[in-house]
Structure formats: C-alpha cells, structure tokens
C-alpha cells in the first residue's frame, strides 16, 4: 500500500517540487493554504488556521491518519524575519512545534526542513556536530524548532539545506532572479558569501530515500560545491546564454543587510552520502538538470478549473481521424448518421444538423416565418443567440420574466405579455442550465393563442420534461434546438441540431441551411434550365429561398456521433457533481441554490449558486479570489435588455424583476464530466475559506 504523507508548505518551491516528483509514489494530502498552486492527485484539506487550535489540528490529522508528516513551510526571508519576529516565530517555530507535538502523540514520523544559517564559526563545510548559534531571529526560531523536533522522537528527521528550484510562481525565488538577469536589472552580488546549494529535485530524491530507508536524525542535505552567490548567479546567466548581465560585484558588508549573517554557509553532506550510499552531482550538472526540467515542472502544475469543459477520448479521436482520411470532409454520409442518432435519442421524427445552435435558432425562426410583424418572446436570462436570431429576421424580440426558483419562463407573466402583444407569434422557452420547466403550460398557451414554439435547448441535451419524455422529442413544440459548443453536454467543437416532427419544417430547414437550395426535382420552378428533354440536367441546382450556409461539417458531425455514444455517462457524472455540491451546500447559511429539486430532470449543464452578494462580499471579489486559486467561475447571463446593443434599441428591465434579482446574485461554479471529487472538494474549501474570512 502507498504511504500516506501529509504535507505542510506544499505550495512553496520545495514543497511543490516534492509533490511533482512523488505524487505517483505516495498518497499525498496537503494542508490547504490560499494559493494558486494545486495538483490533481493531491487531496487538499485545511488543517491550520490563524488560531492554531491544538485540539482541532490534532483531530484533523487523526482523521487523515498519515504515516508521515513533512513540514516544508518556512518564512525564509531573513531580513523580514528580523523586522517581524512574531510572524517568523509563528511560521518557523510555533507550527513545527505544534506538528511535532501531535506527531509524538499520534506516533507519526515527522520530517522537517531547516537551514544553513546557524553558524558564527569561520569554517568551510560545517558538519552536523559543529557549534550552532542564534545569529539572527530566523536562525533562533529555526534552531529552537529543530531542537524540539529531534527531542520529541528519535524517528524524526531534520534536514538542513539550501536549495534552488523551480517555483510555480513566476515572480518567486530563482524564477525572479532569472527574469532580473534577462532584463539586465542591476544586481549587487556578494563574492564573499558562500553556500553549498542543491537542486530541489535532487533534494526531493534524497528525502524520498530517507523515507524509504526509514533513517532518522539530523542531516545536512546540500550540494558538493562551495560557491559564492556571485559565482552562482554568473553560472545561471551562462546557462541561459544571457550575455552582458548587469552584475556588480559587492560584499556582505557593503550590502548593509538588516539581519546579521555569517559569510560562510557551506555545509558538509558527507554524513547523508555515506548513510544512503549516494553520490550528489556537481553544481554544473545540477544546474543543467534544472534548465532541462523547466517546462516539465510547468506541465505538472494543476490544470485550471474552468466552469465548463469538454471530455475527449480515443474513440472521439478515431472517429474524427476516419473522416479526415475519407473523401468527404463535409456533406458526406456522417451528417445523416448523426442526425438519425440524435433523432432516435430524443424521440423526434427528424434532426437537422447545423453549424451552431445560433444558426439553428435563426433557421427555426426563418422556417416559422418570423418577421417584423411576427415577434418572438423569450427569457432575458439567456445567451445572445436566442434573441439575436429574431433580430436577424427583422423581428424585435420580447422578454418575459423568469420564475425565481427554476429560472425558466414564468407562464403567468408570459400569458400577460401575450395578451398585451398581439404580434407575438412564437414562444422560445430557454431550458436554462439544462432544466426544462412548464412546457405543458407553455404548450397550453401555444394552443390557446395559436402560437409556435421553438425550444432553446442549447443547455439541455439529455434533459427530460416533467412528464418524463425527452427534451427534443418536440412533444410540446414545433422545433427544438441543441448546441454542441464544447462546454455543453456533448462537444462537437462547434455545432447544433434542430429536431422536429414536422415534414414541412424539416424540408424547409434542410433547404435553408444550404442557401435555400432544394433537392426535390418535382418542385423545381425554373423548368427552362432545369430540364433537357424532360431529363434533369446533371449540373442543375435550384435556389428557391434566400437561405444561409449553415451546414455542419462531417468532421464535427463525427465527433458529435462519437460523443453521443457516451452521453449517459456524461449526464450521470454531471448529476453526481450537482448532487455532491447540493449535499455540501444544504447547510451553508450564506448560500442558496437554484433548481435544486429538479436535478433528475435536468442535464445539469450549469451549477449556479445564489450568493446574495453585497458590498462586503462582492461578486468580483469572490471571482477574483477564486481565479487566484485557479478556479474559474462565470455569470450566466447578463440579462439581454442590459446589453448595450439592446439598450440602444430601447429595451428596459421593467417587468423583469426576478431576472434582475437573479442576475445580481448568481454565480456558476465548475461542473463538467471530468471534474474530480478532489477538485470539487477544493472548490468547496476555497469558496468557504474566501467567504468566511
Ligand atoms: C441558451 C443558449 N442558446 C443558444 C446558444 C448558442 O449556441 P451556439 O454556440 O452553438 O451557437 C447558447 C450558447 O452558449 C446558449 O447558451
């Protein structure tokens, strides 16, 4: 079984480098600390808070039950520690003290990283037995921590080191130094300040050996080469081929640093080398490795967590490859196959593949004859496409308010509006976030007022009406439009499909998506050039209407076909993720949920929380803080009448109070097939941490 290791300081250079090179080998849990760095395989749990409540920390550690705790956390800016001793004490002494005390009680091995800053003596390559002293505040706290840790258990390990490594932050440690050298920033470098640096990955390998060989005690784990800070920086400039760096040689005395320092920090690594029977590469070899690993490290960092994302597998790739190798990239056989697959899935007579849902909405309105005097009514809480498609037809869309809980059109308000506007000829309900509500009632209005219905089901492939029929079966509508944009339920790159049970609409749609060209030769009007001796001319095609080029390519279609094979899996995953959030959020006071009782009907395209934002906690602040932690949320949507273009057309939010209230408080959290439970816990933890602090 993998060893379980609990890490503190997992976001710093050494901690994150340890994670990068051991996340496969060990079962890693990391104390959650506000930061951007996050690894997919690590479980993040908030263990420490500002109060250092011993019992709470102990209970959390107990529940994690690690074999080993490693503390990489340290405040290493020596001058800062000198100026702010309390901060230094908390991080460099109190935290390791508490952790090692708990480790002692719970019989957990404790590994702690320390420093080379302890010496007054003028000796090169100091060993573990050489006399130490409290040269400065930093040294004082680190030394006190070492003593406690080593006293608490013979099993414990203290590692004195001085390392260089890749920081996952651009502006930290050596990354910052490299930037400065590259930009020829003036650097004052001491040629009388010596150390024995080790490359962090080398150090990580040694720590792993220390763990495997179960050794314990105090060790210097440093490089072989004693080198001045000036020489070291010069080597880095050479490695990156930076000519004429702006260096000025200086010395410690001239540096006038705030905290006292010993000129020679060099340590001897003989003890650890002998014990582990290892060789440590020279500084040049280590620096070479460092540059080689530069990109490798970046790829190991957490991928960002977007609010929505596609999932592609080998089958998808093979389907697309097949098309790429075939004779037709577009207008081949695949379109038909995908249309049949979708029609069968939703239970409609026809499906018409188009280049996007926006195109699908436009064609639907065209097929229904929407025009200046035939208006569409829809929800203001939707993407631009729903109403823009009406504008394309020269029709000014109308907006009707939503219901507070389920965020779909309110039928009462809809009927009021229909009564007042005799030119309404089409209702476009938006199955918002994947939920379709009130379709039976809307269908009742359709019949009562002799209207048409186009469902905007861009979010809702796989969703069900309340009666249990599939959205897309057109049980209550004339036409239904889905989107295959990558954040949607299935990804086609771009793409959309219109479903219908009407023969007439089907024919119109297939013609309109290809410039208004018709296929049926019995309908050709321009007989003079269509036929020769009653035979159709080979080259002939006829445009009967002004249509558009809204076809789907076979490449997109193949991807959609392949993704359709896994739609049930996608839907199950989304439902699980929504349920998990629901379960966690149900007892949280500061946060309300929408559409909560309807997850089983929904495709769960979006997961939206109601935050009741205010001045103290604004949406911008929350989104920014989440962004910093690599979590990307979104607002779905800005009500359409508030869009500048619509404002200019004279639209207002009057009568749309529920929509406005919703807009002020909503935030969409990440939800997509591959969102792991680890990431979901991380999102929840981050949200809680930001909101409660
Ligand atoms: C509600 C709604 N309708 C229509 C669309 C348009 O979809 P597409 O990008 O496929 O044109 C979207 C896209 O996000 C949408 O959210």
């Amino acid at each position: 079984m993998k060893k379980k290791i609990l890490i503190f300081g997992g976001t710093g250079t050494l901690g994150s480098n340890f994670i990068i090179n051991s996340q496969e080998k060990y079962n890693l849990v990391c104390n959650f600390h506000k930061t951007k760095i996050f690894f997919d395989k690590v479980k993040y749990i908030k263990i420490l808070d500002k109060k250092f409540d011993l019992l709470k920390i102990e209970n959390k550690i107990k529940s994690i039950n690690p074999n080993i705790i490693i503390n990489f956390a340290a405040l290493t800016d020596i001058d800062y520690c000198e100026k702010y001793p309390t901060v230094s004490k908390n991080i460099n002494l109190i935290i390791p003290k508490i952790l090692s005390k708990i480790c002692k009680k719970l019989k957990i091995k404790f590994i702690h990283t320390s420093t080379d800053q302890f010496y007054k003596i003028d000796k090169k390559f100091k060993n573990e037995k050489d006399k130490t002293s409290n040269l400065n505040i930093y040294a004082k706290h680190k030394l006190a921590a070492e003593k406690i840790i080593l006293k608490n258990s013979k099993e414990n390990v203290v590692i004195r080191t001085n390392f260089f490594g890749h920081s996952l932050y651009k502006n930290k440690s050596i990354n910052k130094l490299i930037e400065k050298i590259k930009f020829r920033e003036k650097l004052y470098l001491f040629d009388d300040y010596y150390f024995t640096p080790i490359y962090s990955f080398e150090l990580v390998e040694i720590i792993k050996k220390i763990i495997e060989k179960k050794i314990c005690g105090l060790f210097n784990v440093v490089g072989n080469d004693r080198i001045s800070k000036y020489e070291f920086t010069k080597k880095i400039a050479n490695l990156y081929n930076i000519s004429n760096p702006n260096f000025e040689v200086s010395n410690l005395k001239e540096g006038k640093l705030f905290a006292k320092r010993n000129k020679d920090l060099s340590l001897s690594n003989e003890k650890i080398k002998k014990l582990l029977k290892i060789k440590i590469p020279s500084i040049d070899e280590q620096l070479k490795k460092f540059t080689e690993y530069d990109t490798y490290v970046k790829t190991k960092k957490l991928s960002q967590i977007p609010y929505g994302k596609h999932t592609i597998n080998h089958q998808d790739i093979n389907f697309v490859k097949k098309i790429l190798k075939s004779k037709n990239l577009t207008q081949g056989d695949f379109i038909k196959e995908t249309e049949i697959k979708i029609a069968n899935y939703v239970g409609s007579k026809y499906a018409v593949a188009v280049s996007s849902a926006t195109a699908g909405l436009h064609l639907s309105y065209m097929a229904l004859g929407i025009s200046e005097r035939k208006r569409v009514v829809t929800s203001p809480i939707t993407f631009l496409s729903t109403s823009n498609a009406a504008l394309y037809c020269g029709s000014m869309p109308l907006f009707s308010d939503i219901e507070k809980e389920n965020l779909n059109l309110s039928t009462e308000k809809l009927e009021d509006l229909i009564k007042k506007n005799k030119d309404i000829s089409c209702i476009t309900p938006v199955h918002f976030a994947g939920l379709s509500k009130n379709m039976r009632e809307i269908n009742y209005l359709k019949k009562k007022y002799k209207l048409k219905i186009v469902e905007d089901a861009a979010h809702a492939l796989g969703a069900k009406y309340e009666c249990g029929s599939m959205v897309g079966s057109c049980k209550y509508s004339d036409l239904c439009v889905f989107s295959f944009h990558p954040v949607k339920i299935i990804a086609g790159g771009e793409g959309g499909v219109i479903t219908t049970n009407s023969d007439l609409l089907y024919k119109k749609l297939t013609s309109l998506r290809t410039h208004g060209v018709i296929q049926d030769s019995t309908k050709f009007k321009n007989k003079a050039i269509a036929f020769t001796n009653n035979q159709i001319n080979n080259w002939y095609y006829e445009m009967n209407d002004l249509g558009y080029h809204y076809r789907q390519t076979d490449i997109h279609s193949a991807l959609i076909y392949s993704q359709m094979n896994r739609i049930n899996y996608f839907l199950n995953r989304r439902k699980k993720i929504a349920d998990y959030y629901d379960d966690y959020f149900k007892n949280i006071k500061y946060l309300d949920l929408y559409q909560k009782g309807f997850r089983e009907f929904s495709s769960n395209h979006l997961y939206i929380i109601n935050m009741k934002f205010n001045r103290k906690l604004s949406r911008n602040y929350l989104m920014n803080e989440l962004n910093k932690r690599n979590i990307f949320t979104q607002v779905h949507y800005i009500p359409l009448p508030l869009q500048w273009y619509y404002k200019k057309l004279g639209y207002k939010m009057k009568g749309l109070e529920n929509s406005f209230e919703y807009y002020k408080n909503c935030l969409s959290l990440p939800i997509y097939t591959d969102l792991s439970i680890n990431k979901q816990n991380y999102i929840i933890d981050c949200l809680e941490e930001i909101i409660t602090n």
Side-chain angles (χ1 to χ4, degrees), residues 356-358 361 382-383 385-386 430 456 458-459 483 485 488 495 637:
S356 68
T358 309
L361 287 160
T382 181
F383 187 56
S385 321
T386 325
V430 177
D456 183 339
H459 299 178
S483 168
H485 180 277
K488 302 295 186 330
Y637 295 91

Side-chain angles (χ1 to χ4, degrees), residues 10-11 45 59 78 182 327 339 341 348 354 361 364 376 385 389 413 432 437 453 520 527 532-533 543 576 618 667 689:
T11 56
I45 299 177
N59 283 337
I78 299 171
K182 275 186 188 161
K327 58 185 191 323
E339 288 178 340
K341 197 173 181 80
S348 67
V354 284
L361 287 160
S364 298
V376 172
S385 321
K413 293 191 181 175
F432 186 69
K437 280 286 287 172
I453 295 180
D520 184 354
K527 298 215 171 14
T532 309
N533 298 332
M543 174 185 154
K576 277 211 174 104
S618 75
L667 192 69
E689 184 230 354

Side-chain angles (χ1 to χ4, degrees), residues 62 478 503 591 651:
K62 236 189 223 166
D478 299 280
D503 298 348
L591 179 156
Y651 283 91

Side-chain angles (χ1 to χ4, degrees), residues 67-94:
N67 305 98
I68 298 169
I69 292 182
I70 308 184
N71 180 37
F72 293 113
L75 184 65
T76 55
D77 183 334
I78 299 171
D79 297 312
Y80 186 91
C81 289
E82 203 70 18
K83 277 184 206 156
Y84 304 100
T86 325
V87 191
S88 166
K89 190 173 177 186
N90 278 341
I91 299 172
N92 295 326
L93 176 57
I94 305 291

Side-chain angles (χ1 to χ4, degrees), residues 633-692:
T633 52
Q634 187 51 285
V635 172
H636 294 97
Y637 295 91
I638 300 167
L640 293 184
L642 295 181
Q643 283 291 346
W644 183 241
Y645 187 82
Y646 280 80
K647 261 186 148 172
K648 279 194 307 182
L649 290 176
Y651 283 91
K652 299 214 159 53
M653 285 301 286
K654 195 162 169 262
L656 303 172
E657 288 73 23
N658 289 347
S659 302
F660 190 63
E661 188 60 24
Y662 159 78
Y663 164 62
K664 278 194 313 192
N665 297 318
C666 67
L667 192 69
S668 301
L669 299 186
I671 184 165
Y672 50 86
T673 302
D674 292 341
L675 184 69
S676 64
I677 198 99
N678 260 357
K679 283 188 180 164
Q680 224 185 328
N681 282 332
Y682 175 72
I683 295 163
I684 291 167
D685 283 350
C686 288
L687 201 65
E688 203 176 351
E689 184 230 354
I690 298 164
I691 291 165
T692 50

Side-chain angles (χ1 to χ4, degrees), residues 405-408 432-433 435 593-599 602:
E405 295 292 314
N406 63 51
L407 313 175
N408 276 229
F432 186 69
L435 177 65
L593 301 172
Y594 301 104
Q595 302 187 335
K596 195 179 161 200
F598 310 111
R599 304 283 183 226
S602 176

